[in-house]
Amino acid sequence: GVSLCISRPIMKPSDWSYLFDKQALLLAIPGIIAGILLTGVARKCQDEAMLPISMVVIPVVFYIVLFACGWSIEDAREGGWVGETSPPVPVQDLFHLIDFGKVRWDLCK
């Protein structure tokens, strides 16, 4: 998760030194807070709907903050908060990702 926030691979303990960089730490803090929040919700909440609701609320809050601060998605992208745009993928290409031969159809009822 932190690796996604700072756009650098964190594969070994020494890689955590990336967080000594002020900008990387700034980008990582919301992800760390969200991870702590989701862990707390998963462990403490008895209502099974709370975890999925929390997972939806986190990005919604992100976009609310963008809007409230008057920032565009491009501003967020320039600041490193959002990844680069990627070319669109045709829907039919998604079906090539699935190997339907490995599906146990006999278990579907």
Side-chain angles (χ1 to χ4, degrees), residues 22-50:
K22 183 179 176 183
Q23 181 64 22
L25 181 61
L26 181 65
L27 293 173
I29 287 174
I32 293 169
I33 291 170
I36 291 169
L37 174 75
L38 290 173
T39 300
V41 168
R43 290 182 180 211
K44 301 291 181 184
C45 290
Q46 300 298 319
D47 186 351
E48 59 199 33
M50 288 308 296

Side-chain angles (χ1 to χ4, degrees), residues 87-108:
V89 177
V91 174
Q92 62 269 22
D93 287 358
L94 298 175
F95 293 107
H96 298 292
L97 298 174
I98 303 168
D99 184 358
F100 289 104
K102 294 185 178 183
V103 175
R104 294 270 320 266
W105 297 107
D106 59 308
L107 297 176
C108 298

Side-chain angles (χ1 to χ4, degrees), residues 5-81:
C5 292
I6 65 172
S7 300
R8 291 185 178 174
I10 296 180
M11 303 297 288
K12 53 188 186 262
S14 63
D15 292 340
W16 284 92
S17 65
Y18 293 140
L19 295 181
F20 290 123
D21 175 55
K22 183 179 176 183
Q23 181 64 22
L25 181 61
L26 181 65
L27 293 173
I29 287 174
I32 293 169
I33 291 170
I36 291 169
L37 174 75
L38 290 173
T39 300
V41 168
R43 290 182 180 211
K44 301 291 181 184
C45 290
Q46 300 298 319
D47 186 351
E48 59 199 33
M50 288 308 296
L51 184 60
I53 289 171
S54 300
M55 294 170 84
V56 170
V57 165
I58 290 171
V60 168
V61 168
F62 172 78
Y63 286 104
I64 288 171
V65 169
L66 278 184
F67 178 76
C69 293
W71 297 327
S72 69
I73 196 73
E74 286 303 318
D75 295 332
R77 185 170 285 115
E78 288 173 14
W81 297 100

